[in-house]
Amino acid sequence: MKIGTLEIKHPVLLAPMAAVTDLPFRTICEEHGVGLTITEFLSAHALKAGASKTVDKMTPSLFDRPFGVQIFGRDVNAMITGATMACTIGASLIDINMGCPAKRVVAGACGSALMKEPTLAQELVSSIRQAIPEHIPITVKHRSGWDATSLNAPEFACAMVEAGACMITVHGRSRKQGFSGSTDLSIIRRVREAVPVDVPVVGNGDVTDVERYRQMKEETGCDAVMIGRGAMGNPWLFRRIVAIESGNIDPGPPTCQERVEVFQRHVELLYQQKSQRLIHEIRKASAWYAKGLYGANKFRQKAWSIDDCELLVTQATDYLKNQSECAA
Ligand SMILES: Cc1cc2nc3c(=O)[nH]c(=O)nc-3n(C[C@H](O)[C@H](O)[C@H](O)COP(=O)(O)O)c2cc1C
C-alpha cells in the first residue's frame, strides 16, 4: 500500500495508544509483520517546550524500520515544531491526532474537538505540509464525528485530504461514544466512498480477530486496517493477517511455546529500553499475554504483588508455560 510516496509492505497498522505503543511493543508487532507502527500521541506544545517526558517518547523504530509519529495540538507553530522534530529523528510519516476523546485533551480544544473546527484543522495540515520535506506524508486519524448529531467524518476527511493529508484513519465511533458501543462500519465505508481513490482510508475499531478483520475490509472497502487493543498481548494477529493477505494459510493462534518466547522477547526489550518503572512495565506485559487464559485474573493479582523484576518474569513464564489449552 502506498501512503503518498511511502510504500508499506502489509496493509495492517498498529494503532497509536498512549502508554501502550512504546518501542518494545512496537518492535514486537514489527517482528510479527505489522505494516507500520505509530508512536502514541505526543503533545506538540510539550515537544516545543522540550519536555523530556514527551520528547523521550519520540523514538525511531529499531533496525531502520518505517514508523510514524503522532502529534496533537491546535497551535500551528507548535505543530510545525513537533512535526519537524519527528522528521529529524527519521519519521516515515507524521500523523495528526484529531480523534482523542479524553476530557483533558478536548478541554484544550485538541484531539476530536478539532472535528468541530474543520477550517483550523485544515490550516494545521496545510501549514505542516508546507513546513516539512515533501516526501514525508502527513496523515490524519479521526473519529466518526463529535456526537450522533454531527457525524461529519466523510466531509471532514475530504477537507483534510484537500489540505494535504495523504491517508485517513477513521475510528468508527463518535467522541461522545468514547469506547462504548461498537464501531460503525458504515461511516468508514462512507469515508472510503468520499475520499479520492488514491488516498488510502484505514478502518479502525474493534478488530480483535481474523473474522473481524475480514468484516472490516468487506463491509467498509477500506484499504488497510488499524488494530489497537486487539494486538495487546496478541501480536500473532498481525502474523495471521499477513499470511491471509499473502494468500497463505492462516497459521492460527500461537502455541504455548510461542507465547512464552514472545513474552520473554518483550521483557528483553523492556530491559533494553526502559530505565524507569520496569516492574510496572513487566506487570503490564504479563497481564497482556495472560489475557483470556485460564486463571488470568488470579495471575494478574499475583503479578501486582511481586516487586522483584526477575521473580515476576519467572512466575509469569511458569504461568504461561502451564497453559494446557494453548498448547500446540
Ligand atoms: C489505552 C489507549 C490509548 C490510546 N491512545 C491513543 C493515542 O495516543 N492516539 C490515538 O490516535 N488513539 C489512541 N487510542 C485509540 C486507538 O488508537 C484506537 O483508535 C481505538 O482503541 C480503537 O481501536 P481498537 O478497537 O482496535 O482498539 C488509544 C486507545 C487506547 C485503548
Side-chain angles (χ1 to χ4, degrees), residues 14-21 39-42 70 95-101 141 143 169-171 173 179 183 204-208 226-232:
L14 176 65
M17 288 185 285
V20 174
T21 49
T39 66
E40 66 180 88
F41 73 156
L42 304 173
Q70 192 188 63
D95 189 61
I96 306 179
N97 181 309
M98 299 196 188
C100 180
K141 178 169 180 281
R143 286 195 166 229
T169 303
V170 192
H171 176 193
R173 285 185 176 87
F179 287 88
T183 206
N204 170 237
D206 301 341
V207 173
T208 48
M226 178 182 273
I227 302 176
R229 292 164 295 175
M232 291 161 68

Side-chain angles (χ1 to χ4, degrees), residues 23 26-27 30 37 59-68 89:
L23 186 55
R26 281 164 42 209
T27 305
E30 287 163 355
T37 67
T59 44
S61 285
L62 301 177
F63 311 115
D64 280 335
R65 293 183 182 122
F67 68 100
I89 64 150

Side-chain angles (χ1 to χ4, degrees), residues 163-182:
C166 49
M167 180 176 84
I168 297 291
T169 303
V170 192
H171 176 193
R173 285 185 176 87
S174 67
R175 186 271 158 176
K176 192 167 182 201
Q177 280 181 292
F179 287 88
S180 65
S182 51

Side-chain angles (χ1 to χ4, degrees), residues 182-186 188-189 203 205-222 225:
S182 51
T183 206
D184 175 5
L185 299 183
S186 69
I188 301 174
R189 167 163 284 283
D206 301 341
V207 173
T208 48
D209 54 30
V210 167
E211 287 67 40
R212 289 204 185 203
Y213 168 81
R214 286 202 174 104
Q215 189 190 10
M216 174 67 85
K217 288 214 83 175
E218 281 165 22
E219 292 189 21
T220 69
C222 65
V225 173

